[in-house]
């Protein structure tokens, strides 16, 4: 197990989002962090699509910003537990 991952999200015949990441470290901790990060990106993408107007897809910056904010909140919560 490691912290490398990739995924593809096809929106229609003309648009494809690709996410590629390499979490530093090896083993279960890196794999868990990679899975949580991937999940946060997917959640951010789904949320932004749900609240968008019309056929507009979110910009990469919007997806990363929302996913980052959620990850930071979760990591701070872990440190304070």
């Amino acid at each position: 197990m490691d912290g490398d991952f990739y995924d593809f999200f096809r929106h229609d015949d003309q648009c494809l989002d690709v996410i590629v990441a390499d979490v530093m470290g090896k083993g279960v901790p890196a794999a868990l962090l990679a899975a949580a990060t991937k999940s946060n990106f997917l959640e951010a993408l789904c949320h932004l699509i749900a609240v968008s107007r019309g056929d507009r897809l979110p910009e990469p910056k919007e997806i990363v910003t929302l996913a980052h904010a959620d990850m930071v909140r979760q990591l701070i919560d872990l440190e304070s537990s």
Side-chain angles (χ1 to χ4, degrees), residues 4-75:
D4 300 343
F5 70 89
Y6 65 92
D7 212 338
F8 304 94
F9 304 100
R10 186 184 326 182
H11 301 285
D12 55 33
D13 291 338
Q14 299 176 5
C15 186
L16 175 70
D17 285 338
V18 179
I19 183 170
V20 179
D22 180 8
V23 176
M24 289 178 50
K26 300 266 185 243
V28 174
L32 290 173
L33 186 56
T37 302
K38 184 176 179 180
S39 175
N40 276 303
F41 269 90
L42 182 56
E43 186 177 328
L45 176 61
C46 290
H47 173 76
L48 290 169
I49 288 173
V51 300
S52 70
R53 295 187 179 107
D55 293 335
R56 181 190 169 280
L57 291 173
E59 294 293 323
K61 178 182 177 181
E62 296 171 295
I63 301 166
V64 171
T65 300
L66 186 56
H68 176 263
D70 193 45
M71 286 294 293
V72 166
R73 183 188 51 77
Q74 290 177 23
L75 291 170

